[in-house]
Amino acid sequence: MFAAFEAAGHTDPAGTWQALTAAWNWAAPLPAAVCHPDFPGATARRAPGGFTLSGLWKLPPREETGPWSTLPVPVAGAGEPDLFVVASKALPKASGTGTVARLDDLYVPAGFATHTAGAPLRDGDAAFLWTAVTALALGTARRITDVLAALHADGAASTPYAAEVAAVLHDERLSLAATLHDVPSARQGLPAATERRLAAHVPRAGQVVQHAVAAAYEHALTADWSGACHPLVSLIEAGSPILQQARYTTELLPPGGRTSLRKAEHGDDRRIPG
């Protein structure tokens, strides 16, 4: 599974992300708001790198809220997401059942959108989501380093550490593959020790991916393409939902029984990023 998702992230990051979110509703375990029945018409409009949400929602009770909440909207068109994850601290504080929140153009990154029609993932599916998202992110980053290498081969200026980044990505792929080797399918659950190792690897892999993308973006900013669109720009844009999701995947769907992976590892005084 890891190898398949990594290859798909390399070949078609945008299409694979759309297919993943259409098939699996990864936000299903999160506390859910509902569209206000007396004021229909909640909308999600496309914006650069994500969506803007407007409308009225009834928030879940305070005792049910966590670091993240979901906001549904009516399906706008075929293939369009209709469920959006936002940091709960960005919403009004719920004082009880029926608290209403009015939002006007709240920005939600594309990586925090999914489809209610997808098969719901649950807390026990955390390892599956971590594996899929991390593999996609590593595949996307590998595609980025391949493009950098091709530009260098064609005589264009290239970032001096592109080869180093590619090597680090390779090592990270091997490390994650070793963690997942000879264990049951992530969809069937992992042994507790393996899940802990995977939970430790996923944020590290995300940091490696961020470094690769930052290197590519630096190259795109400094290279002279005489007004033409840099070849890396469209690739980074296509992979942005995966990269957005990869930063928080162990927070959005932590292991069953935990409200925060970082709290479980470091203590309750650690604040979850929003």
Side-chain angles (χ1 to χ4, degrees), residues 5-272:
F5 273 110
E6 197 276 342
H10 180 272
T11 303
D12 183 12
T16 305
W17 175 252
Q18 292 173 3
L20 177 69
T21 54
W24 305 103
N25 176 8
W26 55 266
L30 299 175
V34 296
C35 292
H36 198 290
D38 297 331
F39 298 94
T43 61
R45 296 184 173 87
R46 291 266 177 189
F51 302 84
T52 57
L53 270 59
S54 298
L56 290 176
W57 283 266
K58 293 176 65 175
L59 302 180
R62 180 190 296 272
E63 61 271 16
E64 296 180 9
T65 59
W68 308 92
S69 298
T70 61
L71 300 176
V73 299
V75 177
E80 290 295 309
D82 62 346
L83 190 64
F84 300 84
V85 176
V86 299
S88 297
K89 66 183 181 182
L91 301 172
K93 294 186 181 299
S95 59
T97 303
T99 299
V100 176
R102 177 187 295 274
L103 303 177
D104 294 304
D105 292 333
L106 176 70
Y107 181 75
V108 179
F112 288 66
T114 188
H115 301 261
T116 57
L121 296 183
R122 299 301 179 190
D123 290 345
D125 297 316
F128 168 73
L129 180 68
W130 300 348
T131 302
V133 171
T134 305
L136 286 174
L138 285 166
T140 301
R142 180 165 65 91
R143 174 74 174 274
I144 289 171
T145 59
D146 286 351
V147 171
L148 282 177
L151 292 174
H152 182 67
D154 290 340
S158 180
T159 177
Y161 42 87
E164 177 187 347
V165 172
V168 173
L169 285 170
H170 177 72
D171 290 345
E172 200 60 47
R173 289 196 304 273
L174 292 179
S175 179
L176 275 168
T179 297
L180 294 167
H181 187 61
D182 290 335
V183 299
S185 166
R187 279 287 294 151
Q188 298 174 2
L190 296 180
T194 303
E195 185 179 71
R196 288 194 295 270
R197 291 198 301 272
L198 180 62
H201 278 190
V202 165
R204 186 180 70 191
Q207 292 172 359
V208 171
V209 168
Q210 290 175 43
H211 179 64
V213 174
Y217 189 64
E218 178 185 9
H219 174 81
L221 288 177
T222 57
D224 181 9
W225 283 82
S226 303
C229 182
H230 192 283
L232 288 170
V233 171
S234 60
L235 177 56
I236 293 174
E237 290 178 349
S240 62
I242 296 169
L243 302 175
Q244 292 160 357
Q245 169 78 206
R247 289 190 63 188
Y248 296 105
T249 186
T250 56
E251 298 295 334
L252 292 166
L253 190 58
R258 301 186 195 172
T259 58
S260 166
L261 184 64
R262 292 183 183 179
K263 284 184 179 181
E265 292 178 343
H266 302 294
D268 289 345
D269 59 329
R270 292 294 295 268
R271 184 173 63 86
I272 294 174

